[in-house]
């Protein structure tokens, strides 16, 4: 099904991004989720990872520590405590986030907490801006 839908990324403080998107890829807790216009309604937790937003000929990548996504046929809303535009992150900012994730992994207890912290370390280890 062709078409666009509204994508919004929201933090507790403000609306971080609002665009008409052609496609969004989310780091869902059950795996990567590709969203197109007309998608069936879904509510999902998000793992730490990169949200890819395609709008026309542009693509934005946003790193989130986790959060929640609500998908409707004509709108996707992501609620995230922290979000950073990957292409605006400096190598030192990525390194700082990676160090924070490694610290969280070393302090994690319980299978789920270890899995999520490990996911953050894995994603951040491979993160590079596309400048």
């Amino acid at each position: 099904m062709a078409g666009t839908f509204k994508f919004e990324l929201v933090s507790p403080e403000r609306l971080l991004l609002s665009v008409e998107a052609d496609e969004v890829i989310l780091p869902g807790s059950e795996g990567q989720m590709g969203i197109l216009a007309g998608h069936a309604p879904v509510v999902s937790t998000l793992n730490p990872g990169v949200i890819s937003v395609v709008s026309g000929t542009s693509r934005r990548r946003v790193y989130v520590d986790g959060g929640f996504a609500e998908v409707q046929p004509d709108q996707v809303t992501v609620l995230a405590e922290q979000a950073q535009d990957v292409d605006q992150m400096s190598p030192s900012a990525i390194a700082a986030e990676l160090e924070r994730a490694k610290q969280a992994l070393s302090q994690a207890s319980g299978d789920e907490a270890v899995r999520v912290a490990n996911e953050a370390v894995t994603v951040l280890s491979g993160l590079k801006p596309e400048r």
Side-chain angles (χ1 to χ4, degrees):
M1 172 181 281
T4 63
F5 56 94
K6 184 170 207 67
F7 172 77
E8 292 186 332
L9 175 60
V10 182
S11 76
E13 294 85 32
R14 63 187 175 94
L15 178 65
L16 300 170
L17 178 62
S18 179
V19 297
E20 284 296 316
D22 297 301
E23 176 186 27
V24 173
I25 299 173
L26 302 171
S29 59
E30 299 295 320
Q32 295 287 317
M33 296 173 32
I35 310 296
L36 299 172
H39 196 286
V42 174
V43 174
S44 176
T45 56
L46 299 178
N47 280 340
V50 176
I51 297 172
S52 177
V53 181
V54 177
S55 180
T57 59
S58 69
R59 179 175 79 126
R60 290 188 67 177
R61 299 179 311 143
V62 180
Y63 175 77
V64 294
D65 277 348
F68 298 91
E70 179 184 12
V71 177
Q72 295 294 327
D74 61 347
Q75 182 167 341
V76 174
T77 303
V78 171
L79 307 170
E81 189 71 30
Q82 292 185 336
Q84 297 180 58
D85 189 317
V86 172
D87 297 326
Q88 300 298 319
M89 293 175 76
S90 67
S92 61
I94 293 171
E97 282 294 316
L98 178 57
E99 199 52 44
R100 190 174 68 78
K102 286 179 179 178
Q103 182 69 23
L105 178 58
S106 71
Q107 296 175 351
S109 62
D111 290 346
E112 184 64 13
V114 169
R115 185 188 67 75
V116 169
N118 193 48
E119 183 74 18
V121 169
T122 300
V123 169
L124 287 163
S125 293
L127 206 56
K128 292 181 180 36
E130 292 179 355
R131 294 181 193 191

